[in-house]
Amino acid sequence: MKAYKNILNGVLVESPESFKSINPATLEELGSVPYSTPDQIDATVEAAKRAQKSWAALPDQERVAYILNIAELFGEHGEFLAELLTREQGKPLGGTGPQDVPGSRFEIAGCEAWTRIPANLSLPSEVVYEDDSRRDELYRLPLGVVAAITPWNWPLMIAVWQIIPALRMGNTVVIKPSEYTSIGTLEMVRLMADILPVGVINSVTGKGDVGSRLVDHPDVNKIMFTGSTETGLKIAARAAARLVPVTLELGGNDAAVVLEDAEPSKIAADLFWGAFLNGGQTCACAKRIYVHESIHDELINQFKTLLKAMPVGDGMKPGIAFGPLQNKVQLDKVVHLLDDAKSEGATVYEGYEPSEKNGYFMPLTIVTGIKDGCRLVDEEQFGPVLPIISYSNLDDVIKAANKLAVGLGASVWSSNIQRAQAVAIQLEAGTVWINKHGAVHPLVPFGGLKKSGMGVEFGVEGLKAVCQTRVITTFK
Ligand code: NAD
């Protein structure tokens, strides 16, 4: 079994203890991951701190060139990373284009796009005020060392979302991947470290205690965190104690509202992928669908046809559209929510029977005859079990969509764009898509409201989030 290593100041390091990474489709051991010791975590932050000043001092175009070289690595090593990702995360290899099943190759293509596009953005200083007597110029300067803490669902792409803007703006990074999906991230970071100056990118691995030590480290100047609301709240409290800025991308329970003028045959495929992308293990998936009673049955029929066309199995095998859930804890949680809905009398329709027996599989499932108040509707399932709620009164649906403590994404589906926009503006979510769900873009700010997060990533706004502002006021 291969022993994977961390990058500390350009050197691959092991730790006295390690843990195993498991293939969720086969339950085979993929390799061992070092469990970073407190001393190693401190040394890693120190290395990032040492490297930061010279990285920030590079001419902007040199940093851009480095980042564009990172973008190239996703082409050169894309297939290697995609296979590792499928083995470790579980999503199928799939393809990259809109006609293909979105899987690991799609994630790697996302890594490349979210590297190349920020590389070409910049935040030059701006004159914010000027008159005869004074000139006020605002600079966006790096913060220093950025800690990046990632989840297991899109492990490489989310890491890129955190790492690349931070590097672009002259920060150095220490990344702590999820303990469930460390290997793919370690390999990606190793490839990045081969390109970058020593100490600019570093990694530590382990469970929450490793992330927690990073959060508390006095030389960490910014925390980028993507994961559960529960952990995000803890991190926000710790960071507040040191007055360190955080960007938090947390859980959601996105509502999709299908108006009666939507055409089920036209929207079904987009709505399906908006709900089931990565087997529902996506932060901004549609996690509860409200559909007008007049088109409910027709939409359900469309969904049943789609479910029947999606083979579930080991994502390394050709023709597989959906892999397993990533880990046992998540599988148990989703099964539990489904059992709860069944006990309340909901109707359950299951798609393809998984072709493998060993892994953390369950069929794609839709649940009807279900209402708000049922746990499967009110809680984030983060898996392939989708509640579809029939409604008659739109105002009630808007209230239901907004009643939860989270507000990451939402969507409205209609053939009347103006009407959809009028509904969209009433939905309490960081992004509301019309006739799509979860369609993030590298130039469009993305973040959650309420307990779904704090701050935004992507685009120029995302760059601002990894900078400090400094104003220089000159009197003439
Ligand atoms: P998690 O909160 O359990 O873990 C995320 C990361 O935080 C892991 O690396 C973990 O080791 C680390 N961690 C745990 N405790 C910590 C602590 N006290 N201090 C510092 N780090 C700690 O989340 P998860 O189960 O890996 O991810 C699933 C959740 O992430 C879902 O709720 C999902 O909606 C959310 N998510 C949100 C987005 C978004 O952009 N908003 C994207 C993906 C996933």
Side-chain angles (χ1 to χ4, degrees):
M1 192 173 56
K2 184 167 174 183
Y4 290 84
K5 294 175 187 164
N6 275 302
I7 284 281
L8 196 178
N9 209 28
V11 177
L12 288 165
V13 293
E14 292 177 332
S15 296
E17 290 185 20
S18 63
F19 56 99
K20 292 180 178 52
S21 184
I22 305 290
N23 180 334
T26 61
L27 306 193
E28 284 161 5
E29 288 172 6
L30 287 169
S32 70
V33 180
Y35 207 125
S36 300
T37 63
D39 284 350
Q40 286 179 324
I41 300 165
D42 294 350
T44 310
V45 175
E46 279 154 30
K49 186 180 177 188
R50 273 197 308 277
Q52 194 268 327
K53 288 236 169 351
S54 47
W55 175 245
L58 286 179
D60 202 51
Q61 281 315 307
E62 268 186 53
R63 263 197 313 277
V64 169
Y66 274 115
I67 293 171
L68 289 174
N69 284 340
I70 294 177
E72 294 296 319
L73 86 78
F74 292 111
E76 276 168 47
H77 303 277
E79 206 52 21
F80 161 73
L81 290 172
E83 288 189 9
L84 203 48
L85 185 55
T86 291
R87 289 206 169 87
E88 189 181 43
Q89 201 283 328
K91 58 175 63 88
L93 271 177
T96 53
Q99 304 309 320
D100 301 308
V101 176
S104 293
R105 291 181 179 128
F106 170 85
E107 181 164 350
I108 301 300
C111 290
E112 182 174 351
W114 262 272
T115 302
R116 204 172 283 288
I117 292 179
N120 291 310
L121 294 176
S122 58
L123 271 179
S125 67
E126 50 183 303
V127 177
V128 287
Y129 180 74
E130 185 162 25
D131 65 17
D132 290 346
S133 67
R134 62 187 285 161
R135 177 185 163 90
D136 300 82
E137 198 163 1
L138 184 146
Y139 292 82
R140 307 251 180 210
L141 303 173
L143 283 154
V145 177
V146 171
I149 304 177
T150 51
W152 46 260
N153 56 342
W154 293 90
L156 300 192
M157 191 156 70
I158 290 175
V160 162
W161 290 356
Q162 300 184 352
I163 292 169
I164 297 298
L167 297 184
R168 172 71 192 89
M169 297 317 297
N171 303 281
T172 52
V173 173
V174 178
I175 181 159
K176 207 287 292 171
S178 167
E179 53 272 38
Y180 292 111
T181 50
S182 301
I183 285 179
T185 311
L186 287 184
E187 289 295 82
M188 179 178 79
V189 167
R190 179 179 62 78
L191 292 166
M192 289 181 178
D194 283 347
I195 292 170
L196 293 166
V198 163
V200 169
I201 179 94
N202 309 270
S203 63
V204 291
T205 37
K207 296 189 180 169
D209 56 317
V210 174
S212 186
R213 190 167 180 98
L214 269 187
V215 168
D216 287 340
H217 197 290
D219 288 327
V220 166
N221 308 104
K222 162 89 194 190
I223 298 144
M224 305 284 292
F225 172 76
T226 302
S228 63
T229 296
E230 193 189 350
T231 308
L233 289 170
K234 284 185 204 158
I235 289 176
R238 303 292 279 267
R242 291 203 294 121
L243 221 54
V244 166
V246 291
T247 297
L248 303 173
E249 297 288 359
L250 309 178
N253 193 352
D254 293 11
V257 181
V258 185
L259 306 186
E260 71 268 30
D261 60 13
E263 281 184 50
S265 62
K266 274 199 181 159
I267 66 165
D270 281 339
L271 187 53
F272 171 86
W273 283 109
F276 283 104
L277 181 67
N278 201 25
Q281 301 165 111
T282 299
C283 49
C285 261
K287 290 172 181 156
R288 44 190 175 128
I289 294 191
Y290 294 90
V291 54
H292 191 268
E293 58 186 4
S294 61
I295 54 170
H296 173 268
D297 292 355
E298 202 188 334
L299 188 70
I300 299 297
N301 284 336
Q302 296 279 343
F303 263 53
K304 284 180 178 173
T305 307
L306 283 159
L307 253 55
K308 277 188 208 141
M310 302 290 168
V312 179
D314 181 347
M316 289 301 288
K317 296 189 178 162
I320 291 297
F322 287 89
L325 280 90
Q326 202 284 323
N327 57 73
K328 177 84 166 57
V329 176
Q330 193 58 31
L331 175 66
D332 290 347
K333 180 179 158 190
V334 181
V335 168
H336 181 74
L337 289 175
L338 178 60
D339 287 346
D340 183 74
K342 282 180 186 165
S343 74
E344 296 213 357
T347 305
V348 172
Y349 181 85
E350 291 182 353
Y352 242 88
E353 188 57 30
S355 58
E356 316 281 328
K357 294 290 164 239
N358 282 341
Y360 303 136
F361 288 100
M362 69 186 299
L364 305 191
T365 305
I366 55 175
V367 180
T368 62
I370 189 167
K371 290 199 180 81
D372 283 283
C374 181
R375 288 186 60 196
L376 181 61
V377 180
D378 287 5
E379 294 178 28
E380 182 188 39
Q381 72 279 55
F382 216 61
V385 176
L386 180 67
I388 302 186
I389 307 123
S390 177
Y391 76 86
S392 55
N393 182 309
L394 183 59
D395 289 337
D396 289 346
V397 168
I398 293 169
K399 273 191 210 128
N402 290 340
K403 77 169 186 187
L404 301 181
V406 284
L408 185 57
S411 59
V412 185
W413 301 74
S414 169
S415 51
N416 180 335
I417 298 297
Q418 272 182 332
R419 187 158 172 245
Q421 284 171 338
V423 176
I425 200 73
Q426 298 177 68
L427 296 176
E428 293 167 6
T431 308
V432 185
W433 293 275
I434 291 174
N435 292 332
K436 280 265 196 262
H437 199 110
V440 292
H441 187 283
L443 288 172
V444 180
F446 172 69
L449 303 185
K450 303 198 270 189
K451 288 207 167 96
S452 285
M454 187 183 274
V456 292
E457 294 182 290
F458 311 163
V460 171
E461 294 305 314
L463 295 186
K464 288 179 184 169
V466 281
C467 292
Q468 52 183 315
T469 56
R470 188 168 305 162
V471 172
I472 297 188
T473 298
T474 307
F475 284 89
K476 297 173 175 172

